[in-house]
Amino acid sequence: MARTETTEHDYVVVGAGSAGSVIARRLLDQGHSVHVLEAGPADDDPMISTPQAWPGLLGSDMDWAVPTSPQQHANGRSIVWPRGKVLGGSSSINAMIYIRGHRSDYDSWAYNGCPGWDWDSVLPLFKRSEDHVDGASEWHGAGGPMPVSRIADPHPTAFSFVDAATTLGIPQTDDFNGERMSGVGFNHVTARDGRRMSTWQSFMAPVAGHPGLTVTTGAHAHRVLFDGERAVGVEYAVDGVVHQTRATAEVVLSAGVIGSAHLLLLSGIGPAAQLKEFGIEVRIDLPGVGENLHDHAIVFNVYEATRPLPPGKANLLEAQFFAGTDSSRPGPDLQPLFFHVVYPAESYPVPEHGYTIAPGIVRPLSRGTLRLSSADPEATPLVDPNMLAERYDLEALVDAVEMCREIGAASAFDEWRKAEMAPGPEARTRDDLRAYVRRAVSTYQHQVGTCRMGLDSLSVVDPSLRVHGVPGLRVADASIMPAVPSGNTNAPSIMIGEKASDLILADR
């Protein structure tokens, strides 16, 4: 590959997604120069800004669409993981649900070796980002870069879903990010005036002309550059031409659960035996890189409708509920969703008109790995989440399926329901439902954990997000999460960006 000259900036941020966009903005606001590297294109496709269009973005040129290895406990199936490859990252292709998770998620992080990440410490960071439609309150912020809205005109079937759940004893909640997370209700979304508001549009588009900002799209990061032990830059390629960008202060990896761990491995930071296998010089033997990979798990109960459904006005995913399989647990472990469209269950019939009730678990116990497939920096790594390896995950998901079938059969859906297509009337026993889950389980698109934060021997970054043993290098994205929060991961990733920027600026 041809090479060109090197550029220099205060900071280099790899990845323009949910965390990277926040970090870049906060550093710019303090007068620092920032070079943002993004592997994908600009976010100018009109489908991105249209809240109803997100399913069409999956599998597009703006999606990494990473296949997992065959999943031993899911009938040997490979599951495709959507991951944003565009300015805004996954916040530009997701379904825009704004959920923080339960306070016990973050208290657990702190208890297990990550001081400063407890709920009381991170709530102000969540609020700082927000410009919530309700205004400032105990639970929400106003005036921040990220618009958060209520769904103003929910779909009629979303009302049916909420009504059906309440008849089964699930309480209704007005705000999943408020005092009580458990219950059924309508989502809050990262949209405003009928347009998606990704982190790039919210945090970075308003400062696009900042003299300290350099943005390079189509930039595939190949490795971190070093001067002695210190990280000092990144080598990357654009259209086959290799470039270098130098950071006088720090390099920040915000390339996501796959990209950040992959880049560490390519840079000689990871399990020594694996690096040697691929001929990569070992810079730091850090055995936790690529470990702890996990994801929320979901299946899709599909219903044929009695007639065509009217089009929706929001994000297609307007309602959901949080519940627990065990009332003694501090927070919910189930998060079923409602789609007023058909979201197909793999290998099941797809009706022309219908809707979907999607059982999901949000506190999985199964853990997997990310591994190199090649020393080629543009080769896709091997991702194996080891889904359903833990018996709890299977049983909790079956519990969720049973709850969602009860909701689907409730009288609130009588005018809409023609037939249940998946798992279908032939699924009668719990064993039938276990077989259904193994046949149809999919991704919630909430992968985390491959650069886990902590102080133990398998952690990758410390509680200040500094890579162990590597001065000048941090990781700040969903990969640092010790355990996935019990909810969608976009809002927590934004919070990680806020926290990271505070930590970086404090050291500066």
Side-chain angles (χ1 to χ4, degrees):
M1 290 184 174
R3 295 183 180 272
T4 64
E5 62 185 353
T6 300
T7 60
E8 187 172 278
H9 314 266
D10 294 338
Y11 295 91
V12 174
V13 177
V14 181
S18 297
S21 298
V22 179
I23 294 166
R25 172 62 182 274
R26 298 310 189 191
L27 295 177
L28 287 170
D29 285 348
Q30 295 303 311
H32 300 294
S33 62
V34 182
H35 189 182
V36 177
L37 301 176
E38 168 54 49
D43 58 338
D44 51 8
D45 189 309
M47 288 181 67
I48 293 176
S49 60
T50 306
Q52 300 83 22
W54 63 265
L57 298 169
L58 308 184
S60 73
D61 291 342
M62 292 166 282
D63 177 13
W64 287 101
V66 175
T68 71
S69 61
Q71 293 300 284
Q72 177 184 354
H73 305 284
N75 291 2
R77 297 157 47 237
S78 175
I79 297 166
V80 177
W81 279 2
R83 294 285 83 205
K85 185 183 180 184
V86 60
L87 291 178
S90 293
S91 76
S92 288
I93 70 168
N94 68 6
M96 292 151 281
I97 298 173
Y98 185 83
I99 295 288
R100 296 170 181 160
H102 194 265
R103 66 178 303 137
S104 61
D105 299 325
Y106 303 98
D107 288 342
S108 176
W109 291 6
Y111 179 81
N112 286 295
C114 301
W117 291 87
D118 58 282
W119 174 251
D120 289 339
S121 295
V122 301
L123 177 58
L125 300 173
F126 281 111
K127 293 169 66 174
R128 185 169 79 189
S129 291
E130 273 188 295
D131 184 25
H132 198 281
V133 68
D134 291 351
S137 69
E138 178 183 0
W139 302 105
H140 290 291
M146 172 61 70
V148 179
S149 300
R150 292 178 177 271
I151 294 172
D153 187 11
H155 195 272
T157 56
F159 280 111
S160 296
F161 175 79
V162 172
D163 290 345
T166 57
T167 62
L168 295 177
I170 298 173
Q172 188 163 350
T173 184
D174 184 56
D175 184 356
F176 296 117
N177 298 304
E179 184 174 3
R180 190 190 74 227
M181 186 180 187
S182 294
V184 64
F186 298 102
N187 289 316
H188 297 188
V189 292
T190 51
R192 182 66 52 87
D193 299 327
R195 291 179 59 85
R196 172 197 296 273
M197 296 304 298
S198 69
T199 51
W200 188 263
Q201 284 299 309
S202 300
F203 285 83
M204 293 301 295
V207 296
H210 193 291
L213 175 63
T214 301
V215 180
T216 304
T217 55
H220 290 256
H222 284 186
R223 63 187 178 98
V224 176
L225 301 171
F226 296 88
D227 182 358
E229 295 182 350
R230 185 175 184 82
V232 295
V234 176
E235 180 182 276
Y236 64 98
V238 179
D239 295 330
V241 178
V242 175
H243 306 259
Q244 292 187 350
T245 179
R246 297 272 173 165
T248 59
E250 289 191 37
V251 175
V252 184
L253 306 186
S254 297
V257 68
I258 296 171
S260 289
H262 191 210
L263 189 53
L264 288 178
L265 294 170
L266 293 169
S267 305
I269 302 168
Q274 183 185 165
L275 300 177
K276 291 175 182 176
E277 178 185 350
F278 291 96
I280 296 172
E281 179 185 354
V282 180
R283 181 166 291 277
I284 295 287
D285 181 8
L286 206 57
V289 176
E291 298 294 319
N292 192 46
L293 176 63
H294 59 290
D295 185 16
H296 292 155
I298 196 168
V299 290
F300 304 105
N301 292 3
V302 177
Y303 292 84
E304 183 177 14
T306 55
R307 60 189 186 277
L309 272 62
K313 300 177 181 178
N315 65 328
L316 309 183
L317 281 167
E318 297 179 0
Q320 63 184 0
F321 73 85
F322 285 94
T325 57
D326 182 349
S327 61
S328 67
R329 299 184 70 162
D333 59 344
L334 306 180
Q335 184 194 2
L337 300 168
F338 178 75
F339 301 70
H340 58 257
V341 295
V342 174
Y343 204 96
E346 185 176 327
S347 76
Y348 280 82
V350 180
E352 182 180 4
H353 307 294
Y355 50 92
T356 309
I357 301 174
I361 61 169
V362 288
R363 290 197 171 186
L365 298 183
S366 302
R367 296 293 186 269
T369 58
L370 178 147
R371 296 282 187 263
L372 289 169
S373 63
S374 166
D376 179 354
E378 300 200 18
T380 302
L382 303 174
V383 293
D384 179 11
N386 202 21
M387 294 183 76
L388 303 181
E390 295 290 342
R391 186 71 179 179
Y392 158 79
D393 293 356
L394 176 64
E395 297 304 321
L397 200 44
V398 171
D399 288 344
V401 171
E402 290 179 335
M403 293 175 72
C404 289
R405 290 186 99 183
E406 287 188 64
I407 290 171
S411 60
F413 275 110
D414 284 354
E415 69 169 304
W416 300 107
R417 182 186 58 252
K418 181 177 180 181
E420 179 191 274
M421 307 296 285
E426 67 278 6
R428 298 184 178 89
T429 69
R430 194 165 174 94
D431 275 344
D432 292 339
L433 295 183
R434 291 186 185 104
Y436 162 63
V437 165
R438 294 191 190 281
R439 175 179 167 185
V441 67
S442 189
T443 174
Y444 223 136
Q445 306 173 29
H446 297 162
Q447 301 88 4
V448 307
T450 52
C451 300
R452 180 171 63 83
M453 173 175 56
L455 300 174
D456 61 282
S457 61
L458 283 178
S459 64
V460 176
V461 300
D462 68 16
S464 291
L465 306 184
R466 295 172 295 216
V467 177
H468 293 308
V470 187
L473 182 63
R474 296 190 208 232
V475 179
D477 54 33
S479 72
I480 66 96
M481 296 182 185
V484 66
S486 48
N488 306 68
T489 49
N490 187 43
S493 296
I494 295 169
M495 179 275 291
I496 288 169
E498 294 281 19
K499 179 81 168 178
S501 63
D502 282 357
L503 294 166
I504 293 165
L505 291 166
D507 281 359
R508 182 69 167 175

